Amino acid sequence: MVAVVAQSHHVFGLRTGVKNNLLFVDEQTVLFPCGNNCVRYNIDQKWQRFIPGTERSQGMHALAISPNRRYLAVSEHGEKGTITIYDLQQEQSRKRKVLTAGEIKVQEFVCMAFSPDSKYLLGQAGGPDWTLFYWVWEKHKVMATVKTTSTGPIHQVSFNPHDNTQICVSGNGVFKLFRYAEGALKQSNFVKMETQNILSHAWMSEERVIAGTETGRLLVFESGNLHWEMNVARKASTQDLERSQEKKKSEDTFSEPSSLLQVTAITVYSKGFACSAGPGTVCLFEKTEEKDNYKKTREIKIPPDPCSNEPSQTEQQEITTLCISPSEETLAASTDRGQLYNITLSSAELSKGEQAQFEFLSHSFHSGIITGLSICLRKPLIATCSLDHSVRIWNFENNALELYKEFQEESYSVALHPSGLFILVGFSDKLRLMNLLIDDVRTFKEFTVRGCRECVFSHGGHMFAAVNGNVIHIYSTTTFENILNLKGHNGKVRSVVWGADDSRLVSCGMDGAVYEWNALSGKRESESVLKSCSYTGVVLSPDTKTIFAVGSDCTLKEIQDCQILREVLSDDIAYTTIAMTRSGRALFTGTAIGTVRAIKYPLPLQKDWTEYQGHSAPITKMVVTFDDQYLLTVSEDGCLLIWKIIDKEGRGLKRDKELSYAEEILITKSDLEEKNQIMLELKTRVEELKMENEYQLRLKDMNYNEKIQELTEMFIQQMEMLKTENQVLKTEKEKQEAAHQKALHELIERHSMEQQDLESTNNQNLLLEYEKHQELQLKCQKMQDSYEEKLKQLEDGKVQALEEISQFYEAKLQEKVLILGQCQDESRQQVIEFEKAKKDMEVDADIELQEVRDKFKRKLQEEKEINLRLKGETGIMKKKFSSLQREIDDRNLEIERLKVEQKELQAVIKSLEKDILGLKREVQERDEAIQDKEKHIYDLRKKRQEQEKIKFVLDYKITDLNKQIEPRENEIKEKKEQIQEMEGELEHFHKKNTQLELAITELKLKLKATDKEMHKEMQRVRGMEALVRKFKIDLHNCVGFIQEPRKLKDSIRELYERYVQQSDVVEIVGEDADIQREYSRQREHLERNVASLKRKLAKDTEVHRATNVKIMQENVFLIKEINDLRKELTVVRAQVRDYESQAGLNKKNMVKTPTSIQRKPASASAASVSRLNFEEEAERIIQLQRLEIQRLRHELQGHSQTLSLPSPSAITKLPALTT
């Protein structure tokens, strides 16, 4: 028999409590923890890849991704804390290394970080030691360790993005910078942060770190010292350190509102940074033009959930992690309730007028323990319920969330009807049967079953079983009657399963009993009781002969005919639930540690199963789909995991029949009518918008035609102006060329004269320097001879002085020996005298001792009294001592800092001494170089002549380049002017658009008013029709008395009194025909006018089209000519400026330059005049548009009046009845 394998296919959920639990792998792929796995999720294609956690791990604590997005580090808690590193570029995300703390006992690593080059890894161990490890992770080598704190938790560690050796650590009362040097991590800053609980931080630059606190403050540190701070709630503004401390003191008294705004996450991008700002809010800050200042540009909020019982509750979620995609297109966030959100930053920036809102990254997940799981036969649906008050419907074919709804009570169990159209949910107060509509879940029947922990539909769907404590109630789905109550369990019933033909029911409970019931008679057919085991799950084999049960005794039991045939032990791990494939080939069990085990059937004699890492908490429910393709598991960690069931060759299991799923949905009649009504309204709205757009297009055509005419006239005037200016510039050019040629000749002659003078002076200077050098060499030789003679004299003097000193000290030694002998004799005599004195002193001492004892007894009493007084004083002194001790510690820290500075200064002194030695060497080398240079002077003279020739060529090139630069600058100025003009036009068009929008709103209001009047008229007509029907019925009754004249007369009188009032009796019978004729005549006349106007409009549009085409062609031709003239003008202006710059060198032609300067303002004034003309024309166009709008309003009012006129048929009334 081929072994069955379960493979992770898709998961719905997020594991909370993991640090940094959302990461971008690339632009489309995110990575997050779910259960005991890490999931790679593609946002666009919706596929998932799984990275399973290590076996027997007790949970994840933190994630970290390398800056090159290749390696993933996962911190897990087991017997000892481990960090596993995976290679994300491999298809299966191969495990690269497993890092541990070595001999140091570490239970867990709370946070991690990769270095900028991804070679080093930081791991912060948890309490009580709080040790920071610095690894070369590829070699599994610990480079250094350091204790970061002794009290509070550490929330984050990070590397400087520009330096592998600098590290930042932040936590409760901790903000420390460490630097790796000489094999150890040394603290480089000393900032007192005891009052601040820093929750997150990020590096803004090589020197700057920004940190977020528990009280909603952002702290900016420059080179390890607090630089400035701001409050997230207010607009950010730079402050001095002293002002910030004063504000902090004043804010401490009102810290209650700000304590809610915790800055739990910060992430950096190119424009600035994003940070969380309290529940459900993220703020974007961008760097301003001012130095060291950040401005809040956008607030992004989590939107309220429309399906929730309290929509505002979703806005109260705390954001735990923020991350930005590599191209900075998308911002993603995770919350403390296990939800994932994202937003495109470009859309957030565009919606500056509105408040930006997050969207779900994939779907809305459960945020509590999942208590119920169910599937149906006719649809690929999964139903789950949770303690988060929600019921969710998932689709396992397209891996999507179909529907969800939140309720006021907690839901304990759920069951889907086989048709997939109904759902049964057990709440704390009642059991409710609901309809699954297209967009809602609505209750249509309630049953008085409190706290129903288990409910299940029969395979046919005509019955369902619901558990109430230790009683199983069976209800009919069609009549909703309670058919049977199955009583027999002494403990709570934990699982209920229907047989294949719905004739039998199997249940298990906490009392250790497994019962088989007859669903028709309610009798117990078989039983198996084992009081030492409390059962949690039961399943029937496909042939319904064998029962499999699991419970608290860590075994899987096979029960047949009231006897336990076989037991399979589970290695001391409790089974919580069980499921079997429809083919009966394999059993799946869920464990208390969140793993799934696949066991062959028939059950093996030995322990033979395959275990898969799935959830991080006990599995609560497990189901196999009806086609044996998927295994579904839910857990206390709030995750729904879909497993693909395959054989060992990777193929799906064979199906007996191909299941075809139904596509029917439920919808109420009122909802359908509403949607149809909305569709009709939208269609009419589309038609109206088409009409409006066509009308606006016509108006725009009219406006553009007028503008084209005005522009052509303007361009013709400008062309004539430019032609005249061109001729004037040509004449000036010729004059300036002649002047420049004269100036050039004079400059060449002057240059040659200056060159000859410089050569003669340089030669004289060189001869003088050579003579000085020879004199200095003679002096140097004399100094060396004198110093050698002095050295010889000093050596002779030292030898003589040594001989004299040795003779003097030998004589002194002899004298000291004689004195020593005399001192020894004197000491012997003093010892004898001392012994005699000692005896006398002992006698005196005994007498004095008795006197002293008496004195000290008195003193003791006095001292005890004084001691009590001093104890009070010592308490005060201890307090003073502790304060002084703190001051001493502060001073010690300052001394250490000064010592560090002293060492740095000593290093500077040493480097300067080295520089002095180097400079002395350079002096010697330069003396040698002077001799070499004298040899090269002759060669350089020859080269100088060649370089002067090159210099002349380069000067000529420089003048050419200057000529090219100036016209470019002129072009830039012209472009700027054009941009300003275009901006003015833009503003003008915006004003026009606003005016048109106002007009549209007015017309819409009028349309609404006409619609209301029309509805009133329709109601009036309906009333009249109803009255006519009543009259016809009464008339028909009168006709029945046609043979009896008296009764006929009485009935006609009753009719008259009922339908005709005395005030309405008016003789208008003769006027009806005239009014009808006049109405028809006016209508025919109006129809003829409309037809003639339509013909005229068609002719006019054809004429206007032809003229528009001609004008457009002429305009294109004129624009081309203008562009050509502009190019010529720029070339000419450039040439003119070149000549003016050359003319500035000639003093004789200084008088002519003002003429060119005077002409520039003239051109500027012409440009300003053209601008004024353009503004006047724009105002004129606006006035014309306003007149057109007024005319249209009058026409609309006229049409509305004609519509409001009542029809002649409605005015006619019955004539007076005479007796």
Side-chain angles (χ1 to χ4, degrees):
M1 187 179 282
V2 179
V4 173
V5 177
Q7 186 180 12
S8 300
H9 178 64
H10 204 88
V11 70
F12 299 100
L14 172 70
R15 184 170 180 175
T16 55
V18 179
K19 185 73 179 173
N20 208 17
N21 63 354
L22 182 61
L23 303 164
F24 266 100
V25 179
D26 54 42
E27 195 61 35
Q28 287 83 31
T29 311
V30 293
L31 193 143
F32 58 88
C34 184
N36 203 27
N37 303 296
C38 286
V39 182
R40 291 174 69 176
Y41 175 68
N42 189 293
I43 300 165
D44 294 336
Q45 297 174 8
K46 311 294 183 188
W47 54 255
Q48 289 184 353
R49 302 281 183 273
F50 290 81
I51 304 168
T54 54
E55 292 181 6
R56 307 292 180 189
S57 77
Q58 294 173 15
M60 291 182 199
H61 283 282
L63 300 180
I65 196 165
S66 61
N68 60 6
R69 314 277 176 181
R70 179 171 180 179
Y71 303 110
L72 171 71
V74 181
S75 163
E76 290 177 294
H77 173 52
E79 292 177 2
K80 58 180 180 178
T82 60
I83 294 173
T84 311
I85 295 170
Y86 298 91
D87 190 346
L88 296 175
Q89 288 190 354
Q90 301 282 337
E91 272 193 30
Q92 300 299 321
S93 299
R94 188 167 60 84
K95 193 184 288 186
R96 286 288 295 267
K97 283 281 183 294
V98 179
L99 305 178
T100 60
E103 295 177 359
I104 303 168
K105 287 186 178 180
V106 172
Q107 290 294 318
E108 62 190 12
F109 291 95
V110 293
C111 49
M112 303 170 293
F114 277 96
S115 64
D117 58 1
S118 306
K119 290 181 181 177
Y120 303 96
L121 181 73
L122 283 176
Q124 175 64 58
D129 295 331
W130 299 103
T131 308
L132 179 68
F133 292 84
Y134 184 78
W135 283 286
V136 180
W137 65 267
E138 288 182 340
K139 296 179 182 177
H140 201 293
K141 182 183 176 183
V142 178
M143 300 286 285
T145 60
V146 68
K147 189 174 180 181
T148 51
T149 184
S150 57
T151 55
I154 298 296
H155 297 298
Q156 191 176 350
V157 295
S158 66
F159 275 98
N160 186 330
H162 306 282
D163 188 359
N164 285 342
T165 61
Q166 195 172 14
I167 293 155
C168 181
V169 179
S170 65
N172 189 3
V174 178
F175 182 82
K176 294 180 181 178
L177 294 178
F178 294 93
R179 189 171 284 281
Y180 177 75
E182 299 174 358
L185 288 167
K186 296 175 183 176
Q187 191 174 346
S188 59
N189 77 318
F190 297 93
V191 183
K192 289 187 178 180
M193 302 296 293
E194 287 83 3
T195 57
Q196 299 283 1
N197 184 7
I198 296 171
L199 301 176
S200 57
H201 73 259
W203 290 85
M204 299 299 294
S205 65
E206 195 171 353
E207 295 290 330
R208 186 178 298 164
V209 182
I210 189 159
T213 69
E214 194 177 32
T215 57
R217 300 194 74 78
L218 288 172
L219 312 176
V220 178
F221 296 88
E222 194 83 38
S223 302
N225 298 315
L226 184 60
H227 186 55
W228 57 278
E229 60 181 296
M230 58 179 152
N231 198 330
V232 175
R234 293 195 300 263
K235 287 189 176 178
S237 61
T238 53
Q239 298 170 339
D240 296 325
L241 189 59
E242 292 175 3
R243 286 183 186 175
S244 66
Q245 286 173 351
E246 285 173 11
K247 284 195 176 182
K248 190 177 164 189
K249 285 176 187 175
S250 65
E251 282 172 6
D252 284 342
T253 55
F254 302 101
S255 61
E256 288 180 4
S258 63
S259 63
L260 297 169
L261 300 174
Q262 295 183 355
V263 183
T264 51
I266 299 175
T267 185
V268 176
Y269 65 110
S270 58
K271 290 182 181 178
F273 66 92
C275 69
S276 64
T281 308
V282 172
C283 292
L284 296 181
F285 288 84
E286 289 183 8
K287 197 166 185 178
T288 58
E289 293 176 359
E290 295 176 22
K291 192 181 177 184
D292 304 335
N293 195 3
Y294 295 93
K295 183 184 178 184
K296 183 159 60 170
T297 56
R298 170 90 18 242
E299 266 193 13
I300 307 166
K301 294 227 173 203
I302 293 172
D305 191 353
C307 297
S308 174
N309 188 32
E310 293 180 4
S312 61
Q313 280 294 317
T314 52
E315 296 174 352
Q316 299 303 314
Q317 297 180 86
E318 198 69 53
I319 288 163
T320 55
T321 306
L322 287 172
C323 62
I324 290 177
S325 61
S327 65
E328 299 183 353
E329 278 286 320
T330 309
L331 173 68
S334 67
T335 69
D336 59 345
R337 294 186 193 168
Q339 305 299 328
L340 296 175
Y341 295 95
N342 73 334
I343 188 171
T344 51
L345 289 173
S346 56
S347 68
E349 287 172 6
L350 284 169
S351 62
K352 286 196 175 176
E354 304 168 2
Q355 193 172 33
Q357 289 186 336
F358 280 107
E359 296 173 350
F360 281 111
L361 187 72
S362 57
H363 303 289
S364 171
F365 302 138
H366 280 294
S367 59
I369 296 169
I370 298 175
T371 54
L373 173 69
S374 180
I375 57 169
C376 63
L377 180 65
R378 295 287 292 133
K379 290 186 179 184
L381 299 180
I382 308 163
T384 57
C385 65
S386 169
L387 296 182
D388 63 2
H389 301 248
S390 70
V391 174
R392 293 167 196 260
I393 309 297
W394 315 84
N395 191 315
F396 61 80
E397 267 200 338
N398 56 15
N399 301 321
L401 177 65
E402 293 278 330
L403 188 63
Y404 77 98
K405 188 171 182 180
E406 286 192 14
F407 298 91
Q408 289 183 348
E409 302 87 15
E410 290 181 345
S411 50
Y412 300 125
S413 59
V414 68
L416 266 176
H417 192 269
S419 66
L421 299 174
F422 311 105
I423 189 168
L424 192 67
V425 184
F427 292 97
S428 57
D429 58 344
K430 285 181 183 178
L431 178 71
R432 291 181 174 88
L433 186 63
M434 307 184 189
N435 282 324
L436 281 180
L437 302 177
I438 189 170
D439 55 359
D440 195 11
V441 180
R442 289 186 193 169
T443 305
F444 72 92
K445 183 65 180 175
E446 292 183 346
F447 302 93
T448 56
V449 180
R450 288 180 177 274
C452 179
R453 297 279 175 174
E454 190 70 26
C455 60
V456 61
F457 276 101
S458 62
H459 291 92
H462 59 291
M463 290 187 290
F464 65 85
V467 174
N468 184 9
N470 57 358
V471 180
I472 303 166
H473 303 284
I474 296 176
Y475 288 88
S476 170
T477 312
T478 51
T479 61
F480 309 125
E481 290 178 1
N482 186 358
I483 301 166
L484 291 170
N485 293 321
L486 308 178
K487 296 177 182 178
H489 283 281
N490 295 322
K492 288 183 179 179
V493 178
R494 292 295 302 275
S495 182
V496 177
V497 180
W498 287 90
D501 57 355
D502 294 340
S503 63
R504 288 194 296 169
L505 191 75
V506 178
S507 64
C508 70
M510 299 289 284
D511 56 352
V514 177
Y515 294 142
E516 189 177 355
W517 309 84
N518 189 317
L520 301 173
S521 62
K523 292 179 181 178
R524 194 189 305 165
E525 292 189 348
S526 67
E527 63 181 38
S528 174
V529 180
L530 185 68
K531 291 188 177 180
S532 61
C533 173
S534 60
Y535 289 107
T536 56
V538 70
V539 71
L540 269 169
S541 62
D543 59 359
T544 66
K545 290 179 181 177
T546 311
I547 301 165
F548 301 94
V550 293
S552 60
D553 61 349
C554 302
T555 58
L556 167 63
K557 296 177 182 64
E558 185 180 359
I559 303 166
Q560 196 169 0
D561 297 330
C562 304
Q563 292 181 353
I564 298 169
L565 294 179
R566 197 176 287 108
E567 287 188 7
V568 181
L569 296 170
S570 65
D571 289 344
D572 298 328
I573 294 170
Y575 289 130
T576 56
T577 182
I578 187 168
M580 193 174 193
T581 57
R582 311 288 169 189
S583 60
R585 288 167 58 184
L587 282 162
F588 294 100
T589 58
T591 66
I593 60 170
T595 58
V596 173
R597 289 181 179 178
I599 306 168
K600 288 182 189 176
Y601 184 72
L603 293 176
L605 297 170
Q606 297 176 346
K607 298 173 186 176
D608 184 16
W609 59 69
T610 311
E611 192 166 17
Y612 305 100
Q613 298 295 316
H615 296 276
S616 61
I619 293 171
T620 54
K621 297 287 177 184
M622 180 183 284
V623 176
V624 177
T625 58
F626 287 94
D627 56 359
D628 277 354
Q629 296 299 305
Y630 298 103
L631 170 70
L632 313 172
T633 59
V634 293
S635 167
E636 289 180 11
D637 60 7
C639 298
L640 165 64
L641 190 52
I642 302 172
W643 307 77
K644 181 83 174 168
I645 303 173
I646 55 174
D647 57 22
K648 281 204 171 176
E649 295 175 2
R651 293 175 298 188
L653 298 183
K654 289 182 181 177
R655 308 181 191 181
D656 296 333
K657 300 182 204 178
E658 282 292 329
L659 280 173
S660 59
Y661 294 117
E663 294 183 357
E664 298 89 18
I665 52 164
L666 285 180
I667 186 166
T668 60
K669 188 178 179 182
S670 59
D671 289 346
L672 190 65
E673 286 174 353
E674 277 178 18
K675 284 183 179 177
N676 288 333
Q677 187 65 33
I678 289 161
M679 280 175 68
L680 287 167
E681 286 174 4
L682 288 169
K683 280 178 183 176
T684 53
R685 180 73 186 138
V686 166
E687 289 174 0
E688 287 172 4
L689 286 168
K690 279 181 183 176
M691 293 289 286
E692 284 178 10
N693 287 331
E694 285 174 3
Y695 176 68
Q696 285 177 0
L697 281 168
R698 285 173 190 167
L699 281 175
K700 282 180 182 177
D701 287 337
M702 295 283 284
N703 293 330
Y704 286 134
N705 290 333
E706 289 175 0
K707 282 182 185 177
I708 287 161
Q709 287 177 357
E710 291 167 3
L711 287 167
T712 48
E713 290 172 2
M714 278 175 65
F715 286 137
I716 290 161
Q717 290 175 2
Q718 285 179 3
M719 281 167 65
E720 288 173 356
M721 292 280 285
L722 290 166
K723 281 176 183 177
T724 53
E725 283 180 8
N726 197 5
Q727 288 175 358
V728 172
L729 289 167
K730 280 179 182 177
T731 53
E732 285 181 0
K733 179 190 166 187
E734 289 169 359
K735 289 177 184 176
Q736 286 177 2
E737 275 180 355
H740 284 306
Q741 284 176 359
K742 287 178 185 178
L744 271 169
H745 287 301
E746 288 175 2
L747 283 167
I748 290 161
E749 289 172 0
R750 205 180 292 162
H751 180 69
S752 59
M753 292 288 286
E754 287 174 359
Q755 191 177 347
Q756 289 172 4
D757 294 336
L758 284 166
E759 282 178 357
S760 60
T761 52
N762 282 331
N763 290 328
Q764 288 173 5
N765 288 329
L766 279 166
L767 290 166
L768 289 167
E769 289 293 327
Y770 185 67
E771 288 171 0
K772 285 178 185 177
H773 181 65
Q774 286 177 345
E775 287 174 2
L776 288 165
Q777 277 182 342
L778 291 165
K779 283 180 183 177
C780 189
Q781 285 175 359
K782 288 176 184 177
M783 291 283 280
Q784 280 177 356
D785 295 334
S786 63
Y787 280 126
E788 284 172 0
E789 287 173 2
K790 284 178 183 178
L791 278 166
K792 286 175 184 178
Q793 289 172 5
L794 287 165
E795 283 174 0
D796 296 335
K798 280 179 183 178
V799 170
Q800 289 174 3
L802 275 166
E803 288 173 357
E804 289 172 0
I805 289 161
S806 60
Q807 289 171 4
F808 174 72
Y809 279 111
E810 281 173 0
K812 272 193 174 184
L813 265 169
Q814 289 173 0
E815 288 175 4
K816 294 285 179 184
V817 169
L818 292 167
I819 292 160
L820 234 166
Q822 290 172 4
C823 287
Q824 285 173 355
D825 295 334
E826 287 175 1
S827 67
R828 284 170 193 160
Q829 289 175 1
Q830 284 176 356
V831 166
I832 294 159
E833 290 173 358
F834 176 73
E835 284 176 354
K836 288 178 183 177
K838 186 181 176 186
K839 289 175 183 177
D840 297 333
M841 289 288 283
E842 282 175 356
V843 174
D844 295 333
D846 291 333
I847 296 160
E848 285 176 1
L849 269 166
Q850 287 177 353
E851 292 174 356
V852 168
R853 277 175 187 168
D854 297 330
K855 282 181 185 177
F856 277 107
K857 280 179 182 177
R858 291 171 198 156
K859 281 185 180 179
L860 251 172
Q861 289 177 353
E862 292 173 359
E863 288 294 329
K864 281 178 181 177
E865 292 171 358
I866 292 160
N867 196 10
L868 290 166
R869 192 174 71 254
L870 288 169
K871 276 181 182 177
E873 291 176 359
T874 50
I876 296 159
M877 292 302 288
K878 276 180 183 176
K879 288 178 182 176
K880 287 181 180 177
F881 176 75
S882 60
S883 63
L884 288 167
Q885 192 67 38
R886 285 175 196 160
E887 288 178 5
I888 288 158
D889 292 336
D890 296 338
R891 292 288 166 84
N892 287 334
L893 290 169
E894 285 181 8
I895 288 158
E896 285 175 4
R897 186 171 59 75
L898 290 167
K899 280 178 182 177
V900 171
E901 288 178 1
Q902 190 180 359
K903 285 177 185 176
E904 288 173 356
L905 290 167
Q906 284 174 354
V908 171
I909 288 159
K910 286 176 184 177
S911 64
L912 289 168
E913 286 174 353
K914 287 176 185 176
D915 292 337
I916 289 158
L917 291 167
L919 289 166
K920 284 179 180 177
R921 286 174 197 157
E922 282 180 7
V923 167
Q924 290 176 359
E925 288 171 2
R926 283 181 183 176
D927 289 336
E928 291 171 1
I930 285 161
Q931 292 176 0
D932 294 332
K933 283 178 182 176
E934 284 175 354
K935 291 175 185 177
H936 289 295
I937 283 165
Y938 183 73
D939 297 331
L940 290 166
R941 282 178 183 171
K942 288 180 180 178
K943 287 180 182 178
R944 186 182 171 190
Q945 291 175 356
E946 292 174 359
Q947 284 174 353
E948 283 173 354
K949 292 175 184 176
I950 293 161
K951 183 187 173 186
F952 179 76
V953 175
L954 288 168
D955 288 333
Y956 184 76
K957 284 182 179 178
I958 286 159
T959 52
D960 288 339
L961 289 166
N962 286 327
K963 288 176 184 176
Q964 290 175 9
I965 287 160
E966 287 180 358
R968 292 286 168 88
E969 289 176 350
N970 293 329
E971 283 180 7
I972 288 159
K973 285 178 184 176
E974 288 175 1
K975 294 287 181 188
K976 283 179 179 175
E977 289 173 359
Q978 284 179 5
I979 287 159
Q980 288 175 357
E981 289 175 2
M982 295 294 282
E983 284 175 350
E985 289 178 3
L986 248 175
E987 288 176 359
H988 176 65
F989 284 125
H990 283 309
K991 287 176 184 175
K992 280 185 181 177
N993 285 332
T994 51
Q995 288 173 357
L996 289 167
E997 282 171 1
L998 287 167
I1000 287 158
T1001 50
E1002 286 177 3
L1003 291 168
K1004 283 178 182 175
L1005 289 167
K1006 286 178 181 177
L1007 259 172
K1008 284 178 183 176
T1010 51
D1011 285 334
K1012 285 177 183 176
E1013 287 177 2
M1014 191 177 78
H1015 285 304
K1016 285 178 184 176
E1017 288 294 322
M1018 292 287 283
Q1019 286 173 0
R1020 201 166 145 198
V1021 166
R1022 283 171 193 156
M1024 290 297 290
E1025 284 174 354
L1027 199 136
V1028 167
R1029 282 194 211 102
K1030 285 180 184 176
F1031 182 76
K1032 281 180 179 178
I1033 291 158
D1034 292 337
L1035 199 84
H1036 182 72
N1037 293 330
C1038 285
V1039 169
F1041 300 114
I1042 199 157
Q1043 297 297 327
E1044 298 173 4
R1046 285 183 183 176
K1047 287 182 180 179
L1048 182 67
K1049 189 178 180 182
D1050 293 332
S1051 61
I1052 286 164
R1053 274 183 183 167
E1054 283 175 5
L1055 271 174
Y1056 182 82
E1057 286 168 1
R1058 194 182 295 167
Y1059 293 106
V1060 180
Q1061 295 177 3
Q1062 292 298 322
S1063 59
D1064 295 329
V1065 178
V1066 185
E1067 293 181 1
I1068 51 167
V1069 179
E1071 292 175 7
D1072 282 343
D1074 297 330
I1075 289 162
Q1076 196 70 31
R1077 283 192 216 98
E1078 184 65 27
Y1079 176 78
S1080 59
R1081 190 176 60 78
Q1082 284 181 1
R1083 188 174 177 180
E1084 285 171 3
H1085 176 68
L1086 288 167
E1087 283 173 356
R1088 283 194 216 102
N1089 286 337
V1090 168
S1092 62
L1093 285 167
K1094 281 181 180 176
R1095 287 189 217 103
K1096 282 180 184 178
L1097 203 145
K1099 287 177 185 177
D1100 288 334
T1101 48
E1102 286 175 1
V1103 171
H1104 282 302
R1105 276 179 199 162
T1107 52
N1108 283 340
V1109 170
K1110 284 180 185 178
I1111 289 160
M1112 285 295 284
Q1113 288 172 354
E1114 287 172 2
N1115 194 16
V1116 168
F1117 179 73
L1118 289 166
I1119 288 162
K1120 284 179 183 176
E1121 282 185 355
I1122 287 157
N1123 289 331
D1124 294 333
L1125 286 166
R1126 279 179 177 168
K1127 286 175 185 175
E1128 286 177 8
L1129 204 147
T1130 51
V1131 171
V1132 169
R1133 281 180 179 169
Q1135 290 174 356
V1136 168
R1137 286 193 180 87
D1138 292 344
Y1139 292 136
E1140 284 174 0
S1141 62
Q1142 289 173 4
L1145 298 168
N1146 192 0
K1147 292 178 181 178
K1148 293 177 183 178
N1149 294 325
M1150 284 294 287
V1151 181
K1152 294 180 181 179
T1153 53
T1155 57
S1156 62
I1157 293 158
Q1158 286 170 2
R1159 284 193 175 86
K1160 286 178 184 175
S1163 62
S1165 64
S1168 65
V1169 169
S1170 64
R1171 279 184 198 169
L1172 286 166
N1173 291 332
F1174 181 78
E1175 288 175 358
E1176 287 172 2
E1177 286 163 0
E1179 286 175 0
R1180 188 167 59 78
I1181 289 159
I1182 289 160
Q1183 287 175 358
L1184 288 167
Q1185 286 179 347
R1186 283 175 181 165
L1187 292 166
E1188 185 67 19
I1189 288 158
Q1190 285 177 359
R1191 187 179 64 75
L1192 288 165
R1193 280 177 184 166
H1194 290 307
E1195 284 183 7
L1196 273 167
Q1197 286 174 1
H1199 284 299
S1200 63
Q1201 285 172 4
T1202 53
L1203 284 166
S1204 63
L1205 282 169
S1207 61
S1209 59
I1211 299 165
T1212 55
K1213 294 179 183 176
L1214 287 167
L1217 188 68
T1218 54
T1219 55

